[in-house]
Amino acid sequence: MKFRTFFAASLAAIAVSASAQTHLEGAEYYKADQLDNAKELLLRNLNNAGTDKAIANYYLGLIAIDENKLDEAQKYFEAGVQANPNYGYNYIGLGGLALKRGDKKAAEDQFKKGESLIKKDAGAEIAIARAYYDADPVLYAKEIEKKVAKARKINLQAPEIYIFEGDQEKDKKNWGGAAGKYEMAKNYNANATEAYVKYANLYTQVNPQFAVTMLKELLSVNPTSALGQRELANAYYNKKDFADAAREYGVYVKNPNHFKQDEDRYALLLFSSQDFDNGYKYASQLLSENPGNFTARRFQFMNAANLPNMADQLVPMAEELLAARNANPQANKFAPIDYVLIAEEFTKAKRAEEAIAVLNEAIKEMPDNANFNKQLAMAYLESNNMAGASDAYEGYLAKLENPDFNDYSQQATFSFYAGVENKQNNPAKAEEYFNKAYAYATKMEAALPGNYKPYKIYGDIAMQRAASDDEAKTVAFPQYSEAAVLIEKSENPSRYARDAKTIYNYLGNYYLDQKDVAKAKENFNKYLQYDPDNESYRKFVEGLK
């Protein structure tokens, strides 16, 4: 259990405006167990007007104890004493530090000194109880019990008592018991921010709507709480309600006590909720404030890629983003979407070689991402490199658990045209691709029996392998005939019009060569069923005798 204390009465005595940045904000985060955030705010605001340095140093000392930086903790507590020797909590802090060092006698002396300066304060007694609890809850069980009892005697309704007891129940994984204690704390003191946050955090994963309700209640009491605003936004995020999360983050990032890293989360949420226009504007604002903000540059481009009016600016933005990443690849990391969008823009701009380079880098960085291989195949297709497309798509298929008919069909097509591409200059290579195309066509046949497409591919390959033009006119006849039958048996033959025309034209010419004009006209007329407006073709058929 981490070392904690609460002293709302002392904090309330500090008169500051709602928008001032003082020790109050850091204390709020500390009491909600967010120590890193508390430390950042306390150090950020340490020298601001309105900050009570005795209080700020006390919290910094507690955080240092939690970090096991005992010498640093001592410096903070001593600085707190120097800032205000009458502020008793720093002596309690020194007492907790003594317990950590194993000196119970010195600890008790410091506790007494603190108590002498903070008379009849339940929060001070709980602070001492927490110091014992943090040091050893078993060894100091009696001391803890005694201090809690004294706190009850001073003020039975002090929220610090119930928050401490709630934390103890949480440590025992008694979530219901913890929730009951936190509820008592907020009911006794509506300004006990940490009670709402701890209560909500018990439910944020299992019942995120309850967490949202609790945090809205907190903000109804303390609407300027940066902690409350941030937690509410995160509760919506846990609900996967990205639009509401983005809205609440939009409120939170305007709070002077927001964290810079949360600006990135807000940018992500605007994109995730598909608020691309505001996402673009916000990322652009961050970039104007800091041109070196790599995350802002990423989100500016990602949002712009979804805005039609930004189309003519996407390639320069892609270039800038890629240059920023390449300038410091260790610090500036891409997510998959960055590679994909940049490659898409280069491909659209007919800069396929650059798209290919980006995607090869993506595959190197994230070898398990199959989508990179698929997009790489399309980039090779754009550059009319069918062998490259086939090889890239082979990598895509290798990463799929269960490729389907369409996957096999795509690869059979790529491989077939890779064979055609290499047929003249590298016949051996061409034969490798034809073999691959045939193998994937057989997989298509097994994946979706009764589909015409595998037979069409078998026929295409047979024609390419033909030793002469005359042989090509007859060699595909069996496969094309079967493909034609299967097209006609399909529920919607017209969807296959393009292939149907190729097949029936081939079959018509086959019968024409065989001097079977009737069969030829039958197949040519079937062609016309798929291309009824082709008058020149119709006249050709009508002229056959």
Side-chain angles (χ1 to χ4, degrees):
M1 176 65 189
K2 300 183 183 305
F3 181 41
R4 303 283 183 275
T5 192
F6 307 92
F7 50 105
S10 298
L11 295 179
I14 308 293
V16 293
S17 70
S19 62
Q21 299 175 66
T22 69
H23 60 278
L24 291 173
E25 292 77 16
E28 195 173 69
Y29 273 93
Y30 176 84
K31 292 186 286 184
D33 298 337
Q34 298 186 27
L35 273 63
D36 289 341
N37 292 337
K39 184 175 183 178
E40 179 180 332
L41 285 174
L42 288 164
L43 290 174
R44 183 198 299 178
N45 302 328
L46 187 60
N47 294 313
N48 289 357
T51 289
D52 188 317
K53 289 190 176 181
I55 298 175
N57 278 291
Y58 170 64
Y59 278 113
L60 288 167
L62 294 179
I63 294 168
I65 287 179
D66 184 82
E67 295 172 338
N68 203 30
K69 298 176 180 178
L70 303 188
D71 291 342
E72 183 177 303
Q74 183 156 348
K75 290 178 182 178
Y76 280 126
F77 292 136
E78 288 175 349
V81 170
Q82 185 175 3
N84 181 1
N86 294 317
Y87 182 71
Y89 280 96
N90 278 301
Y91 300 106
I92 295 174
L94 287 167
L97 183 60
L99 282 179
K100 280 286 189 180
R101 288 170 167 164
D103 191 342
K104 185 183 179 186
K105 176 63 170 63
E108 290 175 343
D109 289 344
Q110 294 288 1
F111 292 153
K112 288 178 182 177
K113 193 167 187 179
E115 285 177 305
S116 70
L117 294 168
I118 314 168
K119 300 184 184 299
K120 294 186 178 181
D121 187 331
E125 301 305 321
I126 294 300
I128 297 170
R130 283 186 176 275
Y132 281 119
Y133 186 78
D134 183 58
D136 191 326
V138 176
L139 179 63
Y140 298 120
K142 289 184 178 179
E143 286 82 355
I144 295 167
E145 183 180 355
K146 181 179 178 181
K147 290 300 175 184
V148 172
K150 187 174 180 180
R152 287 182 185 280
K153 187 175 181 180
I154 293 171
N155 180 5
L156 185 60
Q157 296 185 1
E160 295 92 341
I161 299 169
Y162 305 100
I163 293 170
F164 176 49
E165 291 178 339
D167 292 346
Q168 290 176 295
E169 294 303 318
K170 187 170 68 173
D171 287 345
K172 298 173 187 175
K173 302 190 185 309
N174 179 6
W175 314 121
K181 293 293 184 179
Y182 295 147
E183 184 170 16
M184 290 176 70
K186 78 175 186 63
N187 288 343
Y188 282 135
N189 186 343
N191 292 306
T193 297
E194 68 277 12
Y196 296 91
V197 173
K198 289 179 180 239
Y199 197 1
N201 284 343
L202 290 176
Y203 290 90
T204 189
Q205 296 298 330
V206 296
N207 187 352
Q209 182 54 51
F210 181 84
V212 166
T213 301
M214 187 55 53
L215 292 163
K216 283 184 174 180
E217 184 180 337
L218 162 61
L219 289 173
S220 71
V221 176
N222 185 359
T224 63
S225 168
L227 172 61
Q229 294 166 353
R230 186 174 189 263
E231 291 297 307
L232 178 58
N234 285 331
Y236 276 121
Y237 184 82
N238 288 332
K239 279 186 67 184
K240 300 190 182 335
D241 186 345
F242 299 129
D244 283 337
R247 184 193 66 242
E248 295 303 328
Y249 258 102
V251 175
Y252 161 68
V253 296
K254 294 175 184 176
N255 192 308
N257 288 297
H258 78 270
F259 300 104
K260 294 298 287 183
Q261 64 267 27
D262 288 328
E263 294 174 353
D264 295 346
R265 170 64 71 85
Y266 181 41
L268 169 63
L269 285 168
L270 286 171
F271 181 77
S272 299
S273 61
Q274 300 185 35
D275 190 353
F276 302 125
D277 187 51
N278 283 322
Y280 173 78
K281 290 175 182 176
Y282 184 68
S284 298
Q285 174 195 321
L286 295 180
L287 266 181
S288 68
E289 296 168 357
N290 177 14
N293 187 331
F294 179 70
T295 299
R297 189 169 296 282
R298 287 182 60 229
F299 280 107
Q300 184 193 53
F301 175 61
M302 288 159 58
N303 282 288
N306 289 277
L307 296 172
N309 63 317
M310 297 295 297
D312 60 344
Q313 300 181 48
L314 292 177
V315 171
M317 291 172 70
E319 292 172 335
E320 290 176 355
L321 180 58
L322 186 60
R325 185 263 182 188
N326 291 340
N328 191 353
Q330 293 302 313
N332 296 339
K333 298 290 187 181
F334 273 168
I337 191 173
D338 300 296
Y339 290 110
V340 169
L341 290 177
I342 290 172
E344 281 182 355
E345 293 310 316
F346 286 156
T347 300
K348 289 176 189 174
K350 308 300 181 185
R351 292 162 58 174
E353 291 304 316
E354 291 171 86
I356 288 166
V358 168
L359 291 166
N360 277 321
E361 177 64 25
I363 292 169
K364 181 180 176 182
E365 289 291 318
M366 305 173 193
D368 295 332
N369 190 315
N371 189 48
F372 293 146
N373 295 81
K374 187 175 185 178
Q375 190 167 355
L376 179 61
M378 300 308 166
Y380 276 117
L381 177 64
E382 186 67 28
S383 65
N384 296 313
N385 183 341
M386 299 308 300
S390 175
D391 294 345
Y393 208 81
E394 189 75 13
Y396 168 69
L397 291 175
K399 295 173 184 177
L400 295 183
E401 272 190 38
N402 298 300
D404 61 18
F405 175 88
N406 290 328
D407 297 320
Y408 294 138
S409 177
Q410 183 68 80
Q411 179 60 331
T413 302
F414 281 149
S415 300
F416 171 75
Y417 284 107
V420 174
E421 179 181 75
N422 282 276
K423 184 177 176 180
Q424 184 173 354
N425 296 325
N426 193 340
K429 192 70 173 175
E431 189 60 21
E432 288 181 20
Y433 284 115
F434 287 140
N435 286 335
K436 184 180 288 188
Y438 196 96
Y440 276 103
T442 62
K443 291 184 178 184
M444 293 166 60
E445 191 177 354
L448 190 59
N451 188 279
Y452 82 94
K453 188 73 173 179
Y455 296 94
K456 166 72 165 54
I457 294 172
Y458 295 147
D460 293 343
I461 296 170
M463 280 193 286
Q464 291 297 323
R465 284 174 167 167
S468 66
D469 289 345
D470 285 341
E471 183 182 345
K473 291 177 182 179
T474 61
V475 74
F477 177 77
Q479 296 90 345
Y480 272 23
S481 295
E482 182 64 23
V485 170
L486 293 172
I487 286 176
E488 297 305 324
K489 285 183 177 180
S490 67
E491 291 184 4
N492 184 16
S494 62
R495 67 181 294 195
Y496 309 121
R498 181 176 177 180
D499 283 345
K501 289 191 294 182
T502 299
I503 290 168
Y504 285 120
N505 187 66
Y506 180 92
L507 294 175
N509 281 298
Y510 170 84
Y511 283 114
L512 201 60
D513 286 344
Q514 301 298 313
K515 312 300 183 183
D516 189 338
V517 176
K519 281 283 189 183
K521 291 185 74 169
E522 179 184 336
N523 281 280
F524 289 145
N525 280 319
K526 286 184 177 179
Y527 174 101
L528 285 168
Q529 291 177 11
Y530 295 95
D531 191 8
D533 297 327
N534 192 333
E535 289 303 321
S536 61
Y537 198 93
R538 186 179 300 281
K539 288 179 182 179
F540 157 71
V541 176
E542 290 172 350
L544 291 176
K545 294 181 180 180

